Amino acid sequence: MAVVVDTQFDDVLNTTLRNLPRGKFNDFASKFQHYEAFSRLMKSEGETVVDTADGGQGGFSFDAMTAGNGMGAMVGLADVDDVNFSDGSVKGYIPWRRNKTAWEIERRLSLENKGLAKLYDLVKLKQAQSEVSNADCLEAEFWGGPSGATDLLSLWGMKLWLQLRDAATIASDAAGTTHGGFTSKIPNGFTDIAGVSPTTVARWRNWAAAYTQYTKSDILTRMREAAMYTDFKSPVDVPDFQRGKGNRMRVYADQPSCLAMELIGEGQNENLGRDLAPFQIAADLKDRFGAGSITFRGSPIIPVGQMNPTDIAGNALTWGAHHPVMMINWAWGGVKFLEGDMFRVSSPIMDPLRHNWTRVFTDATLNPYFTDRSRLAIIYQSVNGD
């Protein structure tokens, strides 16, 4: 076999150059300006749970009441009691998905990269490369979705949980507004979503509406409608799956849509400020994103590069030309990790075939979830009838 020598490892050459500022390197590997899913929803706000082992493949589940028992009625003084015991619940199930990243280093190369010759830590470079690679992987997975029920690798990302409207579902669904409604559409390759069918359970449908223009009368009206129609409140006090207290609404959009809404905000009367719907304040998150952030009903509109038509290199991304705006209440969803496997870093492992090479792995068992899809909304530009 060919002999590999030190000078063939570009990273060793690049990290041991002399007469350059030491201890620093720029990150040109990141594809996006902001990693909302990886940095915030997974690393900062991810939850750990014990495996419920439902479904035979490992995962976690939730229960939901789908109907009353039909016994509410007006009665006369001498009416005979008629009590009905009826089913009215479903079980949702989300299977686990596995993720890994890794890096490796050769013992003697790390010995050469030290002392006066050391420009920056080769180990830190390899760790950073590994984490950036995984951030790109998980960010794409979160804002994307599986190809079908037989796809056992992909995360159950937002393309599964948020369905658009098409001609068939618009015709069959209950009337909403002129432009939007709760869609019963099921993802291609699936017969339900997380074990619950939106065709039979009306509250297991997300709100979807199409827009054509970045104006107050179009996109902002669609967003106002979505905020109103997805604001459900139970008439009874029941233990549920809500996380935390109050509304945890966040609005996500691709960068062209964020820029367009910035311009709408700048064109408002200065007394209204930069909130596009300033009269109904749902949550105060401005301290987190800055007082100058463009907001909708008090929630910041967060740009997500993965929702753009293309990345910075011009490669097509998942959502294409839909220019989506997602309105998500995280009180009813998030990312769950298997307890004990939330970005677990292994001990250094010797390569069995190359005794001077050491590998380190980072593993995670996870999946996004929602327990109430009727609190989710997507506003989008229609492409080819969808």
Side-chain angles (χ1 to χ4, degrees), residues 95-285:
W96 291 123
R97 293 293 181 257
R98 320 290 179 178
N99 164 258
K100 80 167 181 66
T101 189
W103 59 276
E104 64 178 359
I105 193 167
E106 213 274 3
R107 178 181 62 84
R108 291 160 296 190
L109 298 183
S110 62
L111 293 176
E112 296 173 8
N113 178 239
K114 70 177 185 179
L116 294 177
K118 181 176 180 179
L119 177 59
Y120 52 80
D121 195 324
L122 183 59
V123 171
K124 288 184 179 179
L125 171 67
K126 295 305 172 187
Q127 289 174 322
Q129 284 180 305
S130 173
E131 185 155 353
V132 166
S133 174
N134 206 31
D136 283 332
C137 169
L138 289 174
E139 196 76 16
E141 288 285 323
F142 182 88
W143 299 108
S147 59
T150 58
D151 182 350
L152 303 181
L153 294 178
S154 300
L155 288 185
W156 281 15
M158 297 312 300
K159 289 215 89 173
L160 174 87
W161 297 104
L162 280 173
Q163 293 298 303
L164 309 183
R165 303 177 88 202
D166 57 20
T169 53
I170 290 173
S172 63
D173 293 344
T177 68
T178 303
H179 299 274
F182 289 102
T183 177
S184 63
K185 186 177 179 182
I186 296 174
N188 292 333
F190 286 83
T191 57
D192 55 45
I193 299 176
V196 184
S197 173
T199 59
T200 56
V201 181
R203 276 288 301 272
W204 194 238
R205 302 174 183 180
N206 67 267
W207 182 269
Y211 73 95
T212 57
Q213 297 179 322
Y214 292 112
T215 62
K216 284 195 170 186
S217 61
D218 193 353
I219 187 172
L220 290 189
T221 299
R222 305 290 84 77
M223 292 171 67
R224 286 176 182 268
E225 291 169 347
M228 177 174 63
Y229 279 92
T230 58
D231 186 21
F232 287 96
K233 292 181 175 61
S234 177
V236 295
D237 186 12
V238 295
D240 57 27
F241 289 92
Q242 182 175 1
R243 291 202 302 156
K245 295 181 179 180
N247 192 324
R248 299 183 61 211
M249 175 67 72
R250 290 184 195 155
V251 182
Y252 304 97
D254 69 327
Q255 288 167 315
S257 298
C258 281
L259 177 59
M261 286 186 278
E262 286 268 0
L263 296 176
I264 294 175
E266 289 178 359
Q268 290 190 150
N269 183 306
E270 63 180 12
N271 293 326
L272 298 179
R274 293 171 63 78
D275 193 313
L276 298 178
F279 301 110
Q280 303 90 2
I281 303 301
D284 184 9
L285 298 176

Side-chain angles (χ1 to χ4, degrees), residues 343-360:
F343 298 121
R344 178 184 177 276
V345 180
S346 73
S347 300
I349 301 170
M350 181 188 295
D351 187 326
L353 300 179
R354 299 175 299 169
H355 66 278
N356 281 307
W357 285 88
T358 299
R359 297 174 171 179
V360 176

Side-chain angles (χ1 to χ4, degrees), residues 6-77:
D6 304 37
T7 54
Q8 290 177 270
F9 289 93
D10 290 341
D11 284 335
V12 174
L13 298 178
N14 292 336
T15 62
T16 53
L17 293 174
R18 289 169 173 77
N19 301 320
L20 289 172
R22 299 177 182 276
K24 302 177 181 179
F25 58 88
N26 284 334
D27 175 13
F28 291 157
S30 304
K31 295 180 181 179
F32 303 103
Q33 292 82 359
H34 178 62
Y35 288 77
E36 171 73 9
F38 179 74
S39 298
R40 181 174 301 282
L41 302 176
M42 295 181 186
K43 300 200 75 172
S44 296
E45 299 180 359
E47 310 165 75
T48 59
V49 296
V50 177
D51 193 319
T52 59
D54 286 350
Q57 56 178 323
F60 54 97
S61 59
F62 64 92
D63 298 291
M65 181 174 65
T66 59
N69 64 3
M71 293 309 301
M74 308 304 292
V75 297
L77 289 175

